[in-house]
Amino acid sequence: VQLQASGGGLVQAGGSLRLSCAAPGRTFSSHVMGWFRQAPGKEREAVAAISSSGDVPAYEDSVKGRFTISRDNAKDSVYLQMNSLKPEDTAVYYCVGRLRGTDWRGPYDYWGQGTQVTVSS
């Protein structure tokens, strides 16, 4: 599974961005999909994940109520809508996927290239 993330950019605090990840392939709808991020000098962390059917999302505590993960299996795509962005959300965001697992935080088998999100204060 090849993952292609897009949608990052520079936004002011309080603003919104929508990340997209295309994962063309016959098995996309069987994969759990998620987003990780890594800020400079910090460890990579899981941000959100969504079940293969799209009905079970999970979020890291600091983004709950601000970020929404969704997927469109007809378009082989997963999205991360980010609202009320804060400077501490600044990071490189990665799209990830896997077929199986019980912990939404990982591990993941497939990683896309990162997309930079910068939130100015």
Side-chain angles (χ1 to χ4, degrees), residues 32-94:
V32 173
M33 300 299 296
W35 292 91
F36 275 65
R37 68 184 179 186
Q38 187 165 23
K42 295 187 177 181
E43 292 188 357
R44 191 167 53 193
E45 66 174 352
V47 175
I50 190 165
S51 61
S52 57
S53 61
D55 58 358
V56 182
Y59 299 96
E60 193 266 330
D61 286 346
S62 68
V63 307
K64 285 180 180 177
R66 301 188 297 120
F67 290 12
T68 302
I69 188 170
S70 62
R71 66 189 295 161
D72 185 339
N73 285 345
K75 296 183 178 180
D76 292 343
S77 294
V78 62
Y79 310 97
L80 186 67
Q81 177 67 44
M82 304 185 294
N83 298 329
S84 302
L85 282 162
K86 304 176 180 179
E88 50 264 43
D89 295 317
T90 295
V92 177
Y93 284 70
Y94 299 90

